[in-house]
Amino acid sequence: MSIPSTLNITTAADAVELVKSGDRVFIQGTAMTPTELVDALCDRYQELKNVEFIHIHTEGVAKYAEAPYNESFQTNSCFVGGNVRKNVNSRSGGYIPVFLSEIHLLFRRNILPLDVALIQVSPPDKHGYCSLGTSVDIALPAVQTAKKVIAQINPQVPRTHGDGIIHVSEIDQAIMVDRPIMLHEERPMTMVEKKIGYFVSSLIENGATLQMGIGNIPNAVLLNLNNHQRLGVHTEMFSDGLLPLIERGIVTGEEKKIKTGKIVTCFAVGSQKLYDFVDDNPFVDFKEAAFTNDTALIRANPKVTAINSAIEIDLTGQICADTIGKYQFSGVGGQMDFMRGATLSEGGKAIIAMPSITNKGISKITSFLQPGAGVTTTRAHVHHVVTEYGVVDLFGKNLLQRAKALISIAHPDHRERLEKEAAERFGL
């Protein structure tokens, strides 16, 4: 591997010397989390003060969110993962409610100017360009606006097509690592998830443009699309579930209007097979989140079918997808971007798919959202709701009609109680 002489290769400890007390530091997320650089920076916790980390979901152990490091480093997360959840819900961390489509504005408009960006990239090509790999999302605007960029160069980073490329001249310090990027392992699919996947798949038409997340419910949906044709993908992220449909020629993108014939995404998380698939593959176009999650671009595609989930939904259709009561569990993300884009698309469908109950048997369809719960998606934006008990469409229904529809797909153990609470709520 030939490294341009203009690139300053050093150790992780020396590279992070660029970070000073009081700096705001961006961390690239998901599978591309630059763990070696982050850990090296954490090793300086005794000499640094008031360093702020800003990021979306990151993988691996977040040392900076734990004692004693959190005395010197503060988390300001735009999307909360399990590794920072406890910190974000304490006095030493914070969460910024923001659409994924708008995070770039925090950097580009100097609302939250970045002093340093920590990233992981592929080795440079013969022209000196590195790839941001599987996480272009908000990493690209972070690199373009940060005063200093520190990169770990990893030959196992996929070289992805699209906009996620930076020149070595934009990198101030670099280190060399050689390890697989973060993998996401799938868990066994439950019968409930299979039923939900079947119901959701019944709503998807030939020629539809899909948006889906990661997890067993999206994968269960995709398992039921083997007889579909001419599907397209315009999504903020995708995972392994799409690969069989691509291999069978079901996902072609030929009817899409935005980037016809290509999968459009801003990040990907999954297995090594997925990363091998996106490596040097022009079929997959990685864009920043400001593009993938732009409602105007989403709606331009035909039959956009957006599949999202919820922590709970009240009887009027309000969706909470990022908190458990007042406890910040995840983030707003791109749900609203795609829900709105789908409903405005010609023939589009916005779908909320979720089990009827939690693992503890608590109904996810409730009379009222829990105290402190955030409304991720308003009741005016919610159309199709799916559980393992069926599908309802709330569009055009009044509050009482919505309540009756949602109760019909609630878990049978909770329907009688919900009916009584609905009667009391609506004065019947």
Side-chain angles (χ1 to χ4, degrees):
M1 178 174 58
S2 177
I3 300 296
S5 58
T6 55
L7 193 57
N8 187 17
I9 303 294
T10 185
T11 64
D14 287 343
V16 298
E17 286 291 330
L18 285 178
V19 179
K20 309 300 180 186
S21 292
D23 278 355
R24 179 178 291 113
V25 178
F26 169 80
I27 304 175
Q28 188 180 12
T30 60
M32 298 298 297
T33 305
T35 305
E36 288 80 356
L37 289 174
V38 174
D39 287 350
L41 186 53
C42 286
D43 290 341
R44 296 181 59 204
Y45 77 98
Q46 290 181 314
E47 61 179 285
L48 292 173
K49 299 296 179 186
N50 299 318
V51 173
E52 175 189 334
F53 286 121
I54 187 166
H55 53 73
I56 50 176
H57 176 81
T58 58
E59 292 285 342
V61 177
K63 290 170 62 175
Y64 53 88
E66 303 173 353
Y69 308 101
N70 59 6
E71 297 177 7
S72 299
F73 304 106
Q74 288 77 46
T75 306
N76 213 1
S77 181
C78 296
F79 194 92
V80 181
N83 58 356
V84 298
R85 197 168 285 142
K86 182 178 178 181
N87 176 271
V88 164
N89 285 279
S90 72
R91 296 177 64 181
S92 62
Y95 164 68
I96 303 171
V98 60
F99 296 133
L100 185 59
S101 60
E102 295 185 348
I103 297 176
H104 71 109
L105 299 178
L106 301 178
F107 308 151
R108 297 194 189 281
R109 294 180 180 174
N110 281 323
I111 297 168
L112 294 176
L114 300 174
D115 296 294
V116 180
L118 304 181
I119 60 173
Q120 183 169 204
V121 298
S122 72
D125 63 14
K126 64 181 180 181
H127 304 292
Y129 286 95
C130 302
S131 170
L132 289 169
T134 61
S135 175
V136 177
D137 42 61
I138 63 169
L140 184 61
V143 167
Q144 292 173 340
T145 59
K147 296 172 186 174
K148 300 289 183 180
V149 175
I150 307 174
Q152 56 183 60
I153 297 174
N154 184 352
Q156 298 194 52
V157 168
R159 179 173 288 277
T160 55
H161 284 242
D163 293 344
I165 58 171
I166 66 168
H167 195 263
V168 291
S169 60
E170 300 175 78
I171 298 173
D172 296 280
Q173 294 277 18
I175 67 169
M176 302 298 299
V177 302
D178 190 349
R179 61 155 174 86
I181 62 174
M182 301 290 188
L183 303 176
H184 180 87
E185 296 193 13
E186 298 177 2
R187 57 179 176 80
M189 196 174 295
T190 67
M191 185 58 66
V192 166
E193 290 164 338
K194 291 178 181 178
K195 287 181 178 178
I196 295 170
Y198 171 78
F199 284 128
V200 172
S201 67
S202 69
L203 298 172
I204 299 174
E205 302 176 41
N206 289 333
T209 301
L210 303 181
Q211 175 261 329
M212 77 297 294
I214 192 171
N216 278 2
I217 290 179
N219 286 343
V221 175
L222 297 170
L223 281 175
N224 285 279
L225 300 180
N226 289 321
N227 293 321
H228 280 64
Q229 298 176 342
R230 306 181 309 283
L231 297 178
V233 177
H234 183 119
T235 185
E236 68 187 31
M237 69 84 59
F238 79 96
S239 190
D240 288 72
L242 267 179
L243 296 184
L245 298 181
I246 297 168
E247 292 166 356
R248 295 187 181 100
I250 293 168
V251 172
T252 64
E254 63 191 86
E255 294 194 14
K256 290 173 57 197
K257 302 299 182 185
I258 303 299
K259 294 287 180 177
T260 305
K262 292 183 181 292
I263 290 173
V264 174
T265 188
C266 68
F267 70 96
V269 181
S271 68
Q272 188 59 49
K273 180 180 179 181
L274 177 76
Y275 301 147
D276 292 341
F277 172 77
V278 300
D279 182 43
D280 196 26
N281 189 344
F283 184 46
V284 186
D285 204 330
F286 280 80
K287 314 291 280 189
E288 66 173 288
F291 183 99
T292 59
N293 289 49
D294 184 334
T295 299
L297 296 178
I298 296 168
R299 69 177 294 185
N301 288 310
K303 302 177 185 176
V304 174
T305 306
I307 306 162
N308 289 278
S309 192
I311 291 174
E312 60 177 335
I313 177 172
D314 76 6
L315 290 179
T316 71
Q318 291 189 116
I319 296 289
C320 173
D322 67 310
T323 69
I324 301 175
K326 63 181 181 180
Y327 187 82
Q328 192 65 48
F329 186 80
S330 57
V332 171
Q335 182 173 118
M336 272 288 293
D337 299 327
F338 279 94
M339 293 281 285
R340 191 60 177 153
T343 56
L344 294 173
S345 162
E346 184 67 33
K349 296 172 184 173
I351 302 169
I352 293 292
M354 64 179 194
S356 64
I357 56 175
T358 68
N359 292 334
K360 296 180 179 180
I362 300 170
S363 179
K364 292 167 73 73
I365 296 174
T366 62
S367 296
F368 298 93
L369 298 182
Q370 295 183 54
V375 177
T376 312
T377 299
T378 76
R379 56 193 179 184
H381 291 97
V382 177
H383 287 205
H384 292 89
V385 181
V386 181
T387 73
E388 70 272 27
Y389 293 102
V391 181
V392 295
D393 186 358
L394 304 186
F395 189 54
K397 288 182 170 60
N398 63 33
L399 298 182
L400 179 57
Q401 291 168 337
R402 286 165 171 250
K404 289 181 177 179
L406 288 168
I407 291 170
S408 75
I409 59 169
H411 194 283
D413 291 350
H414 296 279
R415 290 179 191 173
E416 183 177 353
R417 174 184 57 81
L418 288 170
E419 286 170 353
K420 290 179 180 178
E421 291 174 356
E424 182 178 345
R425 176 169 186 177
F426 298 110
L428 300 179

